[in-house]
Structures are given as C-alpha cells and as structure tokens.
Amino acid sequence: MQRCHFVRFLTLVFLFWGTAPLLADEIHHKKAKKTSRFFMDVEISRITYSTVYFKYMDSGMRRAGAQEEKLSNIKEIVFTYKPSSYMRAEEDERRGMYKDAIKYYEKALKERKAAAWVSQYCYYNIAQCYLRMGKRAEAMKSFQALLKKESDSRFYGEAYTAMARIHVSLGDTAAAMSALDTLIATAGRTELADEWGYQAKLEKAGFLENQSKTGPALKLYQGVASDSGSSYPGISRMAKLGEARCLQKEGKASQSRTILKQVLQAAGSEEMEVLAGAYNGIGGYHVSQGEWKDALLAYLRVVTLYEGVQSQMPEALFNSAKCFHVLSDQEGNPEWRKRAVSLYGRLKAQYGGSPYARMNYKK
C-alpha cells in the first residue's frame, strides 16, 4: 500500500564556526510567503503527530519561549544538527548494515535523552532495521517502546500500521484488527491526520479480503473511496482497487473493469502502485473472460514498467507465467513455455516468501 508522509528529513553536513556547530534547524511552511513563515533559525525540541515544538535561535526572539506549529501546515523540516552516533547509524542503515545501525541508534538514544525528536526517530529506525532483518518480534518491541515513551509520536500512524502487519504475519489477526481499530479511533477523536484513519481502514479491508470476507471488505473499501476522495485522492484510488478486486471475486467482472478503467484514467504517472494494481486487476478481468493474450499484456505491463512496486510484482510474475503456460498449450508454442518457466523462476528467486511463489502456475 501507498505510504504518505507529512515531513521529509534531509541529512546535512556539520557547519562549523570556529569549533562549535551551528545548531539551527529549519521549518518550511506549506503555503505562506517565505518572508513570513520560512523559519531558518530554530531549534526543534519535539514533534508529535499534530505539532512541531521549537525555539528561535536568535537571542531576542528566543525570549518569547517555546513555539509551536501544526504539523499539517509544514512542508519540510531540516535537521541541521544530528548527534554523531545518529548520523553514523543512518549511514549504516543506508548501506544495509542493519545490525551496526541498531547499535549506533541505541548509542544515540543515550547521548541525547532530552531531545525527544532524536529518541523517537531512533526507536522507529531501530524497528525498521529489525523488520529488514526479518526479526519481527524485535521490531514489535521497538515500536512498543516508541509508543510508551511518546504516546503521541510523530510515527504514531506508521507504528500502529506496522504492528498490525506484524501481528498478521504471526497469525494473530485479532491483535492486528485491534491495532488498526485503535488507529482509526485516534484519527477520529484527535489531531492525528485523517489520512491515518483512512490508511488503517484500507489495511483492515485488506485483511478482511485475504480472509475471504469479501462483503465486509467491499463495504469498507467503498467507504474509504468515497470519504477520502477530495482530501486524499491517492488513498481513494487504492480503495477503488480493493473495491474492484472484491467485485471481481463476487462475479461482477464488468463493474470491476469499469472501476479499474476509471482508476487508470485518473492516476498520475507517479502513482506507480496504483497503476500496477490496476493493470493486475485488468489482467484478472481478462482471465475471467478467457482472454489470455489480453491478460498477458496487462500482467507484462506490470512486470516491465513497474518492477519497483514490490506489492504488485509477485502477482504479475505468477500470472504472466500462467498466461504463457496456457497460451503455449493452446497454440503449441514451446518458446512460450520457456517464458513461463523463466518468469516463475524469477518469482521464486526474488519473492520466495510470497504466497504466489508457493502456487502452481500450471493449474
């Protein structure tokens, strides 16, 4: 699923004046003029899911004390200064050295306990490193530690969503649903962005769909598609993809195809996950009609154009192999059978943990 963020963070080099680093961070406002809302000389003290807290570095303005700005109003935050251990951890993480990254994030936690933005970013990044190492239980503990320390963390939505996915991977669907319901409720009664409520409902619908509870899933997808349409069109289109899948499973192929075509027309070129999902859906429609060549073209479009969309690639690889296998039997083309074997081999090699890698494309 498409993940949305309100703030992106740039790693900058240390700037020295004599021997002391300049500690000024930057807050870039979304809408207002640079002269009035472009804070280039501040010190970020804390970030929650709703608010950024800071002080001005200028001695005169600093007398005004702690300041705050809604996170929803902010386009970008630049942390000019980061603890040395934190920077080392980021570098190790970028290089895929997750064990070393965790060690330095843990060291950074001890170096600047007072800097809440540092601590919550450390906990969150530690959890991400554990996930990339396949250590789900350890990742869960780090997310829990984050939320215990910062109950209104800037990563509140990401943490609950990730914990729900971990619960599902461990077979605890009830715990996953509970985590998502908590996220949905928080988005409904606090200043946590509505986006996270919609995202949680998308996740919940997906879990229901995977449990073959098509009716409840369809209803939830339709609600998200309708409610998020004007504010979060990308989320709305993801929900429409789920709606189309459910309709296809209920035997309403024509309705499904109509929705998929609407999604393809509306999605921007940057919405690669949406586009890949839509073409996989179109492929499914053609399979249901016995139109194997048209299905193959749709699936191959995903394979060739959206290789980076890992959420959609296993389905596209498996079904491309299936289409080639069926067509090789129908038209007696041995080369197509070889293509089927090749695509399935790629699926096994690159996405061996996917359910599609355990399915038989020859059936």
Side-chain angles (χ1 to χ4, degrees):
M1 97 182 34
Q2 189 176 14
R3 296 185 64 189
C4 301
H5 297 280
F6 296 100
V7 185
R8 69 184 175 86
F9 301 92
L10 304 177
T11 303
L12 302 181
V13 297
F14 282 105
L15 301 176
F16 288 90
W17 183 263
T19 59
L22 297 176
L23 303 183
D25 300 319
E26 301 175 10
I27 297 176
H28 300 202
H29 203 271
K30 278 183 179 178
K31 299 179 181 179
K33 296 178 181 178
K34 291 183 179 181
T35 53
S36 61
R37 302 305 295 257
F38 192 77
F39 305 111
M40 294 292 291
D41 191 30
V42 301
E43 180 183 7
I44 306 295
S45 59
R46 185 166 181 257
I47 304 176
T48 72
Y49 56 58
S50 62
T51 309
V52 177
Y53 298 90
F54 64 96
K55 291 182 179 180
Y56 293 107
M57 295 299 294
D58 178 83
S59 58
M61 298 180 69
R62 198 173 182 85
R63 294 193 188 98
Q67 305 291 312
E68 60 185 68
E69 186 69 30
K70 286 186 176 182
L71 187 61
S72 59
N73 292 335
I74 294 173
K75 178 181 180 181
E76 177 182 52
I77 290 178
V78 178
F79 291 121
T80 302
Y81 172 76
K82 299 178 182 179
S84 58
S85 294
Y86 186 93
M87 294 182 71
R88 170 65 185 272
E90 284 188 314
E91 178 61 25
D92 285 341
E93 185 177 358
R94 279 193 293 270
R95 295 166 61 189
M97 301 168 61
Y98 302 124
K99 187 175 180 180
D100 289 337
I102 289 170
K103 179 179 70 174
Y104 282 101
Y105 280 130
E106 290 176 341
K107 186 176 180 180
L109 277 169
K110 298 174 182 178
E111 286 182 3
R112 283 192 57 166
K113 292 182 180 179
W117 80 258
V118 173
S119 63
Q120 64 174 304
Y121 278 72
C122 285
Y123 282 121
Y124 179 75
N125 290 334
I126 288 170
Q128 292 298 315
C129 287
Y130 275 131
L131 284 177
R132 294 185 182 105
M133 294 168 68
K135 297 185 176 182
R136 295 169 294 184
E138 290 84 349
M140 178 73 80
K141 289 179 182 178
S142 192
F143 283 127
Q144 290 170 338
L146 164 64
L147 294 169
K148 182 177 180 180
K149 181 175 178 60
E150 301 286 337
S151 61
D152 57 355
S153 168
R154 183 250 175 274
F155 295 110
Y156 187 96
E158 291 94 329
Y160 269 101
T161 300
M163 289 193 298
R165 292 173 179 173
I166 293 171
H167 283 308
V168 167
S169 71
L170 297 175
D172 194 344
T173 304
M177 291 297 190
S178 177
L180 292 175
D181 286 339
T182 297
L183 182 50
I184 292 167
T186 303
R189 69 172 184 267
T190 69
E191 291 187 87
L192 176 67
D194 290 339
E195 172 193 11
W196 285 111
Y198 296 138
Q199 291 281 18
K201 289 178 181 179
L202 267 183
E203 291 281 337
K204 188 173 181 178
F207 294 160
L208 291 170
E209 181 186 351
N210 291 335
Q211 294 172 39
S212 298
K213 297 178 181 179
T214 308
L218 176 59
K219 185 176 180 180
L220 201 49
Y221 280 132
Q222 289 172 332
V224 174
S226 175
D227 295 343
S228 65
S230 58
S231 302
Y232 301 98
I235 293 177
S236 179
R237 284 190 274 275
M238 289 297 293
K240 284 183 177 294
L241 290 182
E243 181 182 354
R245 289 193 304 271
C246 290
L247 288 171
Q248 179 72 38
K249 291 172 183 177
E250 290 188 346
K252 300 174 182 177
S254 296
Q255 293 181 42
S256 174
R257 186 188 190 191
T258 298
I259 292 173
L260 291 169
K261 285 187 172 182
Q262 290 172 350
V263 170
L264 286 173
Q265 291 173 354
S269 59
E270 75 283 358
E271 295 180 73
M272 290 188 289
E273 185 172 7
V274 171
L275 292 168
Y279 281 116
N280 272 340
I282 291 292
Y285 166 79
H286 287 301
V287 167
S288 72
Q289 305 301 305
E291 299 166 350
W292 292 96
K293 285 187 177 179
D294 289 332
L296 177 60
L297 290 174
Y299 290 127
L300 286 179
R301 194 171 192 128
V302 180
V303 171
T304 57
L305 296 181
Y306 306 109
E307 185 176 1
V309 184
Q310 297 184 8
S311 62
Q312 298 293 331
M313 191 56 59
E315 179 181 352
L317 286 168
F318 175 84
N319 285 306
S320 294
K322 185 178 183 70
C323 289
F324 269 122
H325 181 76
V326 171
L327 289 167
S328 71
D329 286 345
Q330 289 181 351
E331 303 193 11
N333 189 333
E335 290 301 316
W336 285 3
R337 190 176 293 273
K338 291 179 182 178
R339 289 290 305 276
V341 172
S342 176
L343 286 163
Y344 190 69
R346 180 177 164 187
L347 168 64
K348 298 281 282 187
Q350 296 181 4
Y351 302 95
S354 168
Y356 285 100
R358 298 188 291 273
M359 295 168 63
N360 187 351
Y361 71 91
K362 297 179 182 180
K363 291 185 178 180

